[in-house]
Amino acid sequence: SACKEKEAFWSGYRLSEYQFVVINNIDPTTMEDQESIMRTVLSRMLNQFQSEWERRTNPSALGLCQPECAQTERLTLLNMFQKCYQNLQVMDNGSGQQDIDLLDQMMELGDSANMRGAMYRLIRKFLKFMCPNVKKTCLVIQIDDADFNIPRAYNIIDDIRRYLVLPQVLVLLSANMTQLETTVEQHFIDEYSH
């Protein structure tokens, strides 16, 4: 029965021990033509990080002002965001710079192949910042109606599979599964018919 399956799935977990950081809901139908789900996730995480940083450094916040070591942590996180974004740019359309020599391009491509690792490190650092002194944390990414953006539905779920199926990440994806299966099938039919 469904109840027993649910119990078996959650056995060994005490959800009360976890803290969840939920980024704003993503609706793929509102995304621009060239916007990727990864860029949107990074953007939402960055906005949430900036809001939390501003809240903590607000002089009117009681005792929340951060020492210099927090500035270092902030800069480290910002560099990690920037690295992930640069990796996405390289993967999407090459380096985009004509004057970079071949070795630099190879290094960038090597970095882009490690996007999954870069995302994992960023998410861990992000969660530690958002939930200091909490050992068990998870990032929750909500994606609504993924099947409605038919031209990019396959890319959305492929990016999720490649870069977001990670420890400490929960992806909540709402979609009509039949529509999504059809979209994936059509993608492979198109890809292998050429």
Side-chain angles (χ1 to χ4, degrees), residues 91-144:
M91 290 184 322
D92 287 349
N93 57 6
S95 68
Q97 298 176 6
Q98 301 298 327
D99 58 347
I100 292 181
D101 68 19
L102 187 57
L103 288 177
D104 286 342
Q105 286 180 353
M106 287 172 53
M107 286 174 56
E108 284 186 30
L109 290 173
D111 288 343
S112 69
N114 294 320
M115 179 65 185
R116 183 179 167 88
M119 279 301 294
Y120 175 68
R121 289 185 295 279
L122 171 63
I123 289 169
R124 285 189 53 173
K125 190 83 166 164
F126 172 78
L127 289 171
K128 283 181 183 179
F129 176 83
M130 297 298 288
C131 306
N133 306 318
V134 177
K135 289 185 179 182
K136 297 180 179 180
T137 56
C138 286
L139 176 65
V140 180
I141 302 168
Q142 307 169 84
I143 304 171
D144 218 5

Side-chain angles (χ1 to χ4, degrees), residues 34-119:
Q34 298 304 314
E35 191 175 6
S36 75
I37 196 74
M38 293 304 298
R39 270 198 187 83
T40 304
V41 167
L42 284 172
S43 173
R44 301 279 166 91
M45 287 173 61
L46 180 60
N47 288 338
Q48 198 158 345
F49 164 71
Q50 287 292 94
S51 295
E52 178 64 14
W53 176 259
E54 289 169 9
R55 185 190 71 78
R56 289 184 191 180
T57 57
N58 182 346
S60 65
L62 299 174
L64 289 178
C65 272
Q66 298 294 309
E68 279 186 36
C69 63
Q71 273 293 353
T72 303
E73 181 183 17
R74 177 179 178 267
L75 291 175
T76 300
L77 257 166
L78 288 174
N79 285 334
M80 293 172 89
F81 274 109
Q82 187 174 20
K83 186 68 171 168
C84 285
Y85 187 77
Q86 286 171 342
N87 286 345
L88 285 175
Q89 280 185 305
V90 170
M91 290 184 322
D92 287 349
N93 57 6
S95 68
Q97 298 176 6
Q98 301 298 327
D99 58 347
I100 292 181
D101 68 19
L102 187 57
L103 288 177
D104 286 342
Q105 286 180 353
M106 287 172 53
M107 286 174 56
E108 284 186 30
L109 290 173
D111 288 343
S112 69
N114 294 320
M115 179 65 185
R116 183 179 167 88
M119 279 301 294

